[in-house]
Amino acid sequence: MRAYYFDNIPGDQRLPHDSSRPVSTDTLNAIGLLHWQIPLDGNEAKIDQVAAERGYKNRDTISVTKEGLGELYETKIKGFFEEHMHEDEEIRYILEGSGFFDVREHPTDAWIRIHVLEGDLLVLPAGIYHRFTLDTENKIKALRLFKDEPKWVPHNRSAATDSNSYRLDYLNSIGVGA
């Protein structure tokens, strides 16, 4: 995993958009992100350990490819790239391929781009504004973990999400309050 500030230059969202300004692990931790690098071979015990420690009870696998999604591919990619939050943590363990998670730094509101690769396990806290896109490989397969029943409900950024209780809890958890 590599994290840096997004350059905000218009163009293909799947390009790196690297501003050459790296983001430290301390900065990621300060906004509530967690990350592990777990090799794909023999990973199950470590994944199970993280799942047990964080209370994840369910899991499934998601594959995002042109071949797998067919005509829905471009629509799905555009939807994933809409700025949104979830009322649950978003947990992804990358099994194949790669992509970018962009998260909002608070209080600056700057985008931080996180390039995830095979073996990366990333946890985005509930209430953080973020978006996702593939990189130019155009494919990713990830294990998704859930605390309860699998669900993935995006709440696009708006005045309503700014006052959503999960958003407010997130802001309090990183020490900025509402």
Side-chain angles (χ1 to χ4, degrees):
M1 179 197 89
R2 191 169 75 80
Y4 52 88
Y5 289 98
F6 187 80
D7 66 11
N8 289 315
I9 297 172
D12 188 342
Q13 68 195 37
R14 297 171 199 157
L15 295 175
H17 288 276
D18 190 343
S19 67
S20 299
R21 294 175 36 228
V23 172
S24 71
T25 300
D26 288 344
T27 298
L28 295 177
N29 291 341
I31 60 171
L33 268 72
L34 300 174
H35 171 263
W36 295 263
Q37 174 43 247
I38 303 172
L40 294 178
D41 292 335
N43 66 34
E44 195 158 321
K46 180 62 178 172
I47 297 295
D48 290 345
Q49 177 188 348
V50 171
E53 288 171 1
R54 300 200 54 79
Y56 304 145
K57 299 174 191 143
N58 293 300
R59 55 183 81 183
D60 69 10
T61 303
I62 184 170
S63 294
V64 180
T65 64
K66 286 182 182 181
E67 299 78 21
L69 294 174
E71 293 179 12
L72 295 176
Y73 176 77
E74 290 297 331
T75 302
K76 286 286 190 187
I77 292 298
K78 286 178 183 165
F80 292 155
F81 202 62
E82 289 290 321
E83 183 175 4
H84 63 278
M85 58 156 263
H86 302 285
E87 294 180 347
D88 297 301
E89 290 182 341
E90 184 163 335
I91 307 96
R92 301 292 182 266
Y93 176 60
I94 310 305
L95 301 169
E96 295 175 18
S98 50
F100 297 110
F101 280 93
D102 296 338
V103 297
R104 286 286 189 187
E105 181 181 46
H106 197 81
T108 68
D109 222 25
W111 281 116
I112 295 174
R113 177 153 274 199
I114 302 164
H115 194 199
V116 291
L117 308 167
E118 293 175 6
D120 285 327
L121 175 62
L122 184 67
V123 177
L124 304 180
I128 192 171
Y129 286 127
H130 66 282
R131 61 190 183 189
F132 172 79
T133 191
L134 294 174
D135 59 16
T136 55
E137 276 193 50
N138 288 319
K139 67 177 181 175
I140 198 165
K141 180 178 180 182
L143 178 68
R144 302 188 302 177
L145 296 119
F146 304 91
K147 289 190 176 189
D148 294 306
E149 289 302 311
K151 61 182 175 178
W152 186 83
V153 178
H155 299 277
N156 288 347
R157 189 171 186 173
S158 68
T161 55
D162 285 344
S163 61
N164 177 293
S165 64
Y166 290 88
R167 175 69 181 164
L168 298 177
D169 288 347
Y170 165 70
L171 293 173
N172 284 325
S173 76
I174 62 169
V176 295

